[in-house]
Amino acid sequence: MSQTGSNGRSASDRLLLISSDCHAGALPVMYEEYMPRKYHAAATEWWLGYAREMMHRAGTFFDQEAVEAYAEQAGEGGGRMKAMTLPDTRPSDDEILAMLADETSPFAPRRGEFDPTTRLAELEADGIVAEVVFPQMAPFGAGLMQYRHPVPPEHNLEGIRAYNRWLADLCKTNPGRHAGVALINVEDIDVTVKEIRNAKDMGLWGGVLLPTSTGDHPYYHDERYEPIWSVCEELGMPIQSHAGWSPDYGDGPAATPMYISEVDMWAHRPFTALLWSGAFERHPDLKYVLTETGCSWILETLRVLEFKADNPIFKHFTKDLSLRPSEYFARQCFIGASFMPAHEGRDRHAIGLDKLMWGSDYPHLEGTWPNTMEALRETFGTYPEAEIRALLGTNAAEVYGFDLDALAPIAERIGPTLSELRAGA
Amino acid sequence: MSQTGSNGRSASDRLLLISSDCHAGALPVMYEEYMPRKYHAAATEWWLGYAREMMHRAGTFFDQEAVEAYAEQAGEGGGRMKAMTLPDTRPSDDEILAMLADETSPFAPRRGEFDPTTRLAELEADGIVAEVVFPQMAPFGAGLMQYRHPVPPEHNLEGIRAYNRWLADLCKTNPGRHAGVALINVEDIDVTVKEIRNAKDMGLWGGVLLPTSTGDHPYYHDERYEPIWSVCEELGMPIQSHAGWSPDYGDGPAATPMYISEVDMWAHRPFTALLWSGAFERHPDLKYVLTETGCSWILETLRVLEFKADNPIFKHFTKDLSLRPSEYFARQCFIGASFMPAHEGRDRHAIGLDKLMWGSDYPHLEGTWPNTMEALRETFGTYPEAEIRALLGTNAAEVYGFDLDALAPIAERIGPTLSELRAGA
């Protein structure tokens, strides 16, 4: 049991847990309050189409037996999955709309995803004092799957704005505890820059979610994105990549394995693009975070990039870069390693202890909620205390600017103890 | 100095070198002999457009100073690069056609790429007795960049056929020494299957180059490709992935670094798709080879796939697979590791000594030709003899069916000695 915590702030046995990866999203109808009336009808149409696609996929990919088996394995977190009965007839628009407005429906968000009171209670019951908040599917295809669905750009922008406004309201209910991540698209970069400024002004300080796909636009090595890197550095908004987007793998039996196998890869790509574009060189104070894409992969990626960087033809194109790929990573990149399975945790020193942040992925089924303590024990139970405190909380505080002094009393009340974490490890 | 070689065939100090990665391609005009007359004019138009694109890119990406600097570093192999003077005026169609028909032009293949006598002499001078032959750019965008350029499918198919016929003629000049790799596209799978049978009948036994991109068609996890896996297993034609294709990164300064950084990744993807599609499960005698995409990457890829395979939702979709990802790899996949830099060679035991095949990448500038011995020393100089013989020759013989007894007398004449390889190591 420690007398002085490694961060010099706490003499307590309690741990201060910040989840660097949580998700929030409203019931579709709730976004109307945050969106000009003229877009409401189109938004409803979009949600109908999206829900039909989800239902079609669920029906194609799963049989009831599979749903039950998965729910059983996923434990209490699988409650919603268990409740899901696959529709065997084609529901009407009205039935779908009712489902989308009903928090108990398998196709709508859980209450904790949009209700701040429920959310805070569930986070605290899981031992978490503060969080970084990523989206669910937002109106008009905005969010993690940006550019997966063809949507008129004007509509997509309204979806982004509605989500950001809604999220800002959610986050301000518990100041200092929800670092909301703002959505953007990459249609008109001047407009995007304004949205980023608005987001910061509205109180979203968790950074900016960089769409994993750029749609029909050039990828992120292109110079057109320079104003985004610039404004994010100026405002101290981390650039975020988060797994989620993929191309459409279709309806066949191998579609889901392909998605699960490749989804991280798509979200890793912007790192390489920002690197060679010189974004890190020109913006040394820009922070870039890769979230829920694993962490051990960065070792192989850096190995390859370091090797490629020595290619003589390569050097001609990178002569303005003063640092090596690993040095840029060390200076300004971070990994939201989410649940961080034990075998990935073993690479923590090679990656850099100050580079990694744990996250519960609340409220997703694949995350640790509501059994976070159990998952923490498995990976972190035997780590030295200083490493535990860094990985589970203080690193995230440093990257995002959470106020540890303000959060400490909450951790004293709801944080798990080091002894609990060590129990059985 | 060995008395009996590890493969039990040779008591000689000479090494039998098979390059698992070489390239061949004709001057554009030479393909006309192998293509119906009605497509000749369209083919010429296509080559003009392609040459203009190459020249535009060379002019955009390089200045003369960069070309000279690179040529100097690339040594003797850079001779052609050094000879290249960037065109500063827009050449006429006639000038381009003259360039494309002129083996000394920087925009046309070297003589060794199409002339079998020169080719054999250059390979032998480099110590190589036999080779696996991959393409250069073939007519109508066929080859490594298949689906990068929009081409009418009918034309593309004629380009594929012309290249395969031409290659078959090249290969038959020295029977048993050139394992030619056949081109295909994935437009009409029945047609593709017939092309594969034709290619085998014509004497192309190096396998089938799977296009890295499937264009507008579903990716390789889809069931539509099943007849390709089937016929390749039946005929003993390895399925080949070879680095080369990428999306278009545009003309900006970071385009080349992006290409060099990501080009291997695109060629790795089919492994995952074949795996989850069940191609390896249903076709245990199918061989799959990944060439010139590095080798250490497979360790990280398998680590991730093994981990993902334990995902409970994943198991529902992969219940027909009787083996683990690593077991399929061990059973029927191989890596044409090309020049295999020393730091990748250190992973040879982890990957599997029987999985790896060296290649010179003749006649590419980034390959080891014409300084193969020097490159071999750097990676293989200190390896045990049995490992050297496996990695440099007998593994490729086993995968492709080269006749070692027939090749041994040639190795006695032109192969480097083990002592030479060890010199200075």
Side-chain angles (χ1 to χ4, degrees), chain B residues 355-377:
Chain B
K355 300 279 101 187
L356 295 166
M357 303 176 284
W358 167 84
S360 70
D361 199 25
Y362 168 85
H364 287 172
L365 293 181
E366 69 270 31
T368 64
W369 177 79
N371 306 309
T372 286
M373 180 47 63
E374 202 177 301
L376 290 179
R377 271 190 201 115

Side-chain angles (χ1 to χ4, degrees), chain A residues 221 249 261-262 269 276 343, chain B residues 221 249 261-262 269 276:
Chain A
H221 60 287
Y249 296 108
S261 296
E262 292 200 327
R269 292 187 64 210
W276 298 133
H343 76 277
Chain B
H221 60 287
Y249 296 108
S261 297
E262 293 199 328
R269 292 187 64 212
W276 298 133

